[in-house]
Amino acid sequence: MGRVTSDTATDAAAPLAHEPATEPPVWQRRLRRFGYVGRPRGDVRARLVPPFPDPGTRLWALCGLGPAAAGRLARWSGWGGPLLVTLFAGVLRFWQLGSPRKVIFDETYYPKDAWALLQYGYEGTWAKNANDALLAHPPQILLSPEHSYVVHPPLGKWLIAAGEWAFGMNPFGWRFTVALLGTLSVLLVCRIGRRLLRSTALGCLAGVLLAVDGLHFVMSRTALLDLIVMFWVVAAFGCLLVDRDRTRARLAAALPVGPDGLARPDADIGGQLRLGWRPWRIAAGLCLGLSAATKWNGLYYLAAFALMAVVWDLAARRTAGAPRPLRAVLRRDVLPAFGATVVVALAAYLASWSGWLATKGGYYRDWATTPEGRDSAWTWLPDWLRSLWHYQTEVYAFHTGLTTPHTYQSNPWSWLVLGRPVSYFYESPKAGQDGCTAAEGCAREVLALGTPLLWWAACFALLYVLYRWLFKRDWRAGAIACGVAAGYLPWFLYQERTIFLFYAVVFVPFLCLAVAMLIGAIIGPPGSSERRRTVGAVGAGVLVLLIVWNFIYFYPLYTGLPLPKSAWNNRMWFDTWI
């Protein structure tokens, strides 16, 4: 594993000899009482592209390996570590994936809609007893081609349909794709954490935390749409990180080098250099479009990440020497960024409706040809486009007006402390039934509950991230905060709407990155004394072990395993969890 160096290239360096010392403004001097540091100085090339620390070999040497073998393993750890963590996450998620063999919670909607898409290209109508018929022996498919009204875009259901096509219309089949994406998201977080924090160990730690988060685990084993949104959001974030590094490397390579061998800022290069073809930004736009094509809350990430990427360009040009970086970004970068993100995302969203567009049976498919449609505005547009737009407006009205009370609804104020989790499935088998061996009877439940110690630690980690962003000018902390804010804050706009804790799964990966960043600080920055690093490592290790233990303790509640009633009650730490 690489050395734990989460503070790499974040603290201010000494100014260069050719950079005149200037007295900071009064507001900066006052903020320094709280730990604020000014804009970092030093070699511009290193500031644009912070070096990645050489992988450490100490761990492998302690295991008895020679220098050559330790060096090879250290080099391979950049991919080997994340792949091992992903394997661990995959085994957890695919183990007995078809259990419980029930249609749980909102699986009553999306798997059936997915199967209808395979048959007709649009969502058909199911009989009222379709769930029982699907689980019967032999199963029955009680589906008719009469269109049904659905309120989410089709991409997530098409992905669920891929698992049904491969493995059949059964719980394993309709959960397969979601479990696969949940597993791959752990790999993405490992690699993202490694690039973001410049540490393989901290990147793998972030992946381990995601692997043992209860909410992510339950959502990976349930055929709902929110985890699919999360996967595309994380993929987009990773693409933007790669684009950031490559773009800044292009700027750094173009800068002149002074007699001291250090790169110097240059006004012409910083303000005028064209950044060229940026395929990773286009890939990010595609992923953001696919997230919105699964559920509309992906649109918030499109707006937040597009803005964040432009801010990154502004910071890069300023570091490279642009005298007016905002003007340079507006002239050189904003329009290409808009095309690579918003336009590409819109194209991906429209493409996700191809099944609805290619058929004639979908809901509102021919609305433009009805009397209401013919009397509407914009009649010069194609009928299919007006019909699709009308469908979107009706769906928006449904979502904003959804206020029907639900037993497990919760306010977003309570999400981070896990105030009201969602029970997806519950049964009370008696002794001798469904694996229950307790004379008092058992409880079987699938509870969408985050691992409590992880989420409560994340509350402190978010405070640390905000501190790093506001006072230490740490862009990585700002990126993590952006990932949490885009998935969390918009729900406060819909206080009256019926919403649930499991919507928070979209920003769980960023909570794990925040905790990994905090743990890096607990271990200590490079240059700390051996005693400081040892004490920090012990404290961080205890925290991680407690989080893993907490996941194991609640594991039966995440998988529907039978628990004696008393053991189930012991795990209901708060009345609001029942």
Side-chain angles (χ1 to χ4, degrees), residues 1 59 75 144 163 212 217 279 316 321 329 349 360 364 379 387 479 482 494-495 504 513 535 537 544 547 553 577:
M1 294 289 184
L59 174 64
R75 289 191 297 271
S144 71
V212 298
F217 177 74
V329 166
Y349 183 84
K360 290 295 183 182
Y364 283 134
T379 54
S387 296
C482 180
Y494 305 100
Q495 294 285 320
L513 289 169
V535 172
V544 173
I547 290 172
Y553 180 71
W577 289 8

Side-chain angles (χ1 to χ4, degrees), residues 226 295 415 487 491 497-507:
D226 300 84
K295 284 186 78 172
W415 286 0
W491 292 111
R497 189 186 185 277
T498 307
I499 54 180
F500 303 90
L501 170 65
F502 66 81
Y503 295 170
V505 73
V506 180
F507 61 83

